[in-house]
Amino acid sequence: MEKDWKLFKKKLGGWQEAYMDRLIEEYKDILNSDASSFDKYYTLRKKIYEDYKSPGVLARDVSRSNMFIILLGLLRDEAITMDDLDEFSDELKEDIKQCIK
């Protein structure tokens, strides 16, 4: 598990950066839509508020004991895929697969 923890700490920032890049493209789509300024503003405001809660944007309480929960959240929010976990231990990947079934 120590190897998984070190790998997690190494990868988390990059995963979050890539996820936020994707969100920014979604925000641009909202702003470039044909909706009224009022609708654009409130749609964007709501989306940013919801996205802020995602571990892809802000992983709270990053620790060994919370790593598994954060990974599940990243997968749930599609900030990462199972392919992103290729370098992690088979045990961790199996535990994750059991939880997402």
Side-chain angles (χ1 to χ4, degrees), residues 12-33:
L12 181 60
W15 288 338
Q16 289 176 310
E17 188 74 21
Y19 182 67
M20 286 186 268
D21 285 342
R22 194 173 84 217
L23 292 176
I24 287 170
E25 291 304 314
E26 292 175 17
Y27 301 158
K28 287 179 187 177
D29 290 343
I30 292 168
L31 292 171
N32 291 326
S33 73

Side-chain angles (χ1 to χ4, degrees), residues 62-96:
V62 177
S63 66
R64 280 181 183 87
S65 60
N66 290 336
M67 175 183 71
F68 190 78
I69 303 263
I70 293 169
L71 286 171
L72 288 174
L74 291 167
L75 286 162
R76 177 200 64 218
D77 293 345
E78 298 178 352
I80 62 172
T81 66
M82 284 302 292
D83 290 341
D84 291 311
L85 302 180
D86 281 347
E87 298 176 58
F88 287 81
S89 70
D90 290 340
E91 178 184 352
L92 177 71
K93 290 185 283 191
E94 283 302 314
D95 289 345
I96 295 253

Side-chain angles (χ1 to χ4, degrees), residues 36-82:
S36 70
S37 296
F38 179 87
D39 288 339
K40 287 180 192 181
Y41 174 82
Y42 282 101
T43 300
L44 183 61
R45 182 175 180 263
K46 180 181 177 188
K47 176 135 182 62
I48 289 172
Y49 178 76
E50 290 170 359
D51 292 340
Y52 179 75
K53 299 174 191 176
S54 168
V57 173
L58 178 66
R60 293 171 178 85
D61 301 321
V62 177
S63 66
R64 280 181 183 87
S65 60
N66 290 336
M67 175 183 71
F68 190 78
I69 303 263
I70 293 169
L71 286 171
L72 288 174
L74 291 167
L75 286 162
R76 177 200 64 218
D77 293 345
E78 298 178 352
I80 62 172
T81 66
M82 284 302 292

